[in-house]
Amino acid sequence: MTQKDDFQLQGFLPYLLNQAAEESSLAFQRIYKDRYGMLRTEWRVLFHLGIYGTLSAKEIGERTKMHKTKISRAVAKLEERRLLTRQRDEADRRLEYLTLTAAGQAAYVDLRSVAKEYDAGLAEQFSPEDIAKLRQMLRHLARMT
Amino acid sequence: MTQKDDFQLQGFLPYLLNQAAEESSLAFQRIYKDRYGMLRTEWRVLFHLGIYGTLSAKEIGERTKMHKTKISRAVAKLEERRLLTRQRDEADRRLEYLTLTAAGQAAYVDLRSVAKEYDAGLAEQFSPEDIAKLRQMLRHLARMT
DNA sequence: TCTTGTTAGTTACAAAATCAACCGTTAACA
DNA sequence: TGTTAACGGTTGATTTTGTAACTAACAAGA
């Protein structure tokens, strides 16, 4: 209970970033979980395919920095639920191209609109300049510059 | 591969925050893991006790927003490694007060100095005003205002 | 051709997180 | 009191993640 030293955990960036990330993901998580039974890994894959169209698992890995086993499992789940299909590349048979089905597209479009609204709700708590600055700094910290 | 729509995942705050949090925790994680075999839950408990002195598990939960089972298991591990001790509250026998041992204090002091340096390394990538603003916004998003 | 190495992706097993049920203790109140 | 609910904390079962080893396919050089 007693203050023992002056280190501020609330100022430590990795901690602060984690808390902010967790808190800010909570309500959105509930939506994709309740509505589609998805995990974080799964909506990420879904969004990448929704945004970029057909991609291989490898390309998704490069873009998300998720480990390949996570992607493999997320893809398997999404395929099982008929939200995406795979197509083997005949020129290089190690590769599989992943594409959303109509149902997958629909799920993506739905969740995308939720995400847009959700993001706007977060952003409106700050001035447009501050939010722009925040995004820029986060991209830099995430090495997504 | 084809651009299919204009939604920017790189602008979606929950995603961006997660990526930044993950990336910025990586090197620090390696240190507490390699040096003390700790998990994220464990260094968080250690830091809270190091900073605030004696706390109950419940108080740690309020401060960290970690689930009580996580705390229970982290505390058990830290006790097992003789980094903290428990003392039952005789007035309310449900409560246990947790305090770092000398070894726990030493681990805390060591990791705190690592954290300070680490944080400084992150912070110096931006101007002091920008970093202050970032911290403030993150605290707000984390509801730690 | 025949290694040897690398790559895309999967699988098996261990470690960790989550969730619900649980125990002992205290509080509320009929 | 006696009974019921709430609380602090733990445990066990299930789910999810992480780590390594694996398969199948391709590539490069001798």
Side-chain angles (χ1 to χ4, degrees):
Chain A
M1 217 55 170
T2 348
Q3 188 76 17
K4 304 230 16 214
D5 71 47
D6 67 338
F7 182 75
Q8 290 293 328
L9 207 39
Q10 299 81 2
F12 185 44
L13 280 169
Y15 182 74
L16 206 42
L17 283 161
N18 257 296
Q19 297 285 111
E22 229 162 274
E23 182 66 38
S24 76
S25 308
L26 236 142
F28 182 62
Q29 176 175 36
R30 214 137 41 218
I31 292 170
Y32 63 70
K33 199 177 163 187
D34 290 355
R35 208 176 283 185
Y36 297 99
M38 282 188 195
L39 300 173
R40 202 159 63 210
T41 50
E42 290 158 28
W43 82 257
R44 282 189 183 181
V45 169
L46 185 90
F47 269 56
H48 277 267
L49 294 175
I51 294 168
Y52 300 108
T54 296
L55 292 173
S56 67
K58 190 205 172 195
E59 290 170 311
I60 296 177
E62 285 159 1
R63 285 178 156 84
T64 58
K65 289 175 186 164
M66 299 197 305
H67 193 78
K68 58 183 184 170
T69 64
K70 266 195 193 174
I71 296 170
S72 172
R73 293 197 258 243
V75 167
K77 270 268 176 67
L78 292 172
E79 186 190 27
E80 200 179 285
R81 289 175 200 165
R82 314 241 181 282
L83 298 178
L84 64 76
T85 54
R86 312 179 191 232
Q87 171 141 26
R88 183 72 59 192
D89 178 349
E90 289 305 330
D92 181 347
R93 298 184 41 72
R94 292 171 303 182
L95 282 163
E96 279 186 326
Y97 293 123
L98 307 169
T99 313
L100 294 184
T101 61
Q105 274 294 330
Y108 165 63
V109 168
D110 177 36
L111 285 177
R112 179 187 60 189
S113 87
V114 173
K116 276 182 176 168
E117 265 183 59
Y118 190 79
D119 206 52
L122 289 173
E124 80 182 358
Q125 299 173 41
F126 306 96
S127 76
E129 306 81 50
D130 283 355
I131 269 291
K133 191 81 194 175
L134 175 66
R135 287 208 172 91
Q136 181 204 315
M137 292 178 81
L138 291 175
R139 264 194 292 272
H140 182 250
L141 285 169
R143 309 241 147 80
M144 296 171 70
T145 330
Chain B
M1 218 53 171
T2 347
Q3 188 77 16
K4 303 226 21 210
D5 71 43
D6 67 340
F7 183 74
Q8 290 293 328
L9 206 40
Q10 300 79 2
F12 185 42
L13 279 169
Y15 182 74
L16 205 41
L17 283 161
N18 257 296
Q19 299 283 111
E22 227 162 274
E23 182 67 36
S24 77
S25 306
L26 239 142
F28 183 61
Q29 176 176 36
R30 214 139 39 219
I31 292 169
Y32 62 69
K33 198 175 163 190
D34 291 355
R35 207 176 286 185
Y36 296 99
M38 282 188 196
L39 302 174
R40 203 161 60 211
T41 51
E42 291 158 27
W43 82 258
R44 282 189 181 180
V45 169
L46 186 89
F47 268 57
H48 277 267
L49 293 176
I51 293 169
Y52 300 108
T54 297
L55 292 172
S56 69
K58 191 203 171 199
E59 291 171 309
I60 294 176
E62 286 159 359
R63 284 177 158 86
T64 57
K65 289 174 186 163
M66 298 198 304
H67 192 76
K68 58 183 184 171
T69 64
K70 264 193 197 175
I71 296 170
S72 173
R73 284 172 169 131
V75 166
K77 270 269 176 65
L78 291 172
E79 187 190 28
E80 199 178 285
R81 288 173 199 167
R82 314 238 183 284
L83 298 178
L84 64 75
T85 55
R86 311 178 192 234
Q87 171 141 27
R88 184 70 62 187
D89 178 348
E90 289 305 330
D92 182 346
R93 297 185 42 73
R94 289 171 304 184
L95 283 162
E96 280 187 326
Y97 294 124
L98 308 169
T99 313
L100 294 183
T101 60
Q105 274 293 331
Y108 164 63
V109 168
D110 178 36
L111 285 177
R112 179 186 62 188
S113 87
V114 173
K116 277 181 175 169
E117 264 183 62
Y118 190 77
D119 205 52
L122 290 173
E124 80 182 359
Q125 299 173 41
F126 306 98
S127 75
E129 306 81 50
D130 284 356
I131 268 290
K133 190 83 194 171
L134 175 65
R135 287 209 173 91
Q136 181 204 315
M137 294 178 79
L138 291 175
R139 264 193 293 270
H140 183 251
L141 286 168
R143 309 240 145 79
M144 296 171 69
T145 333

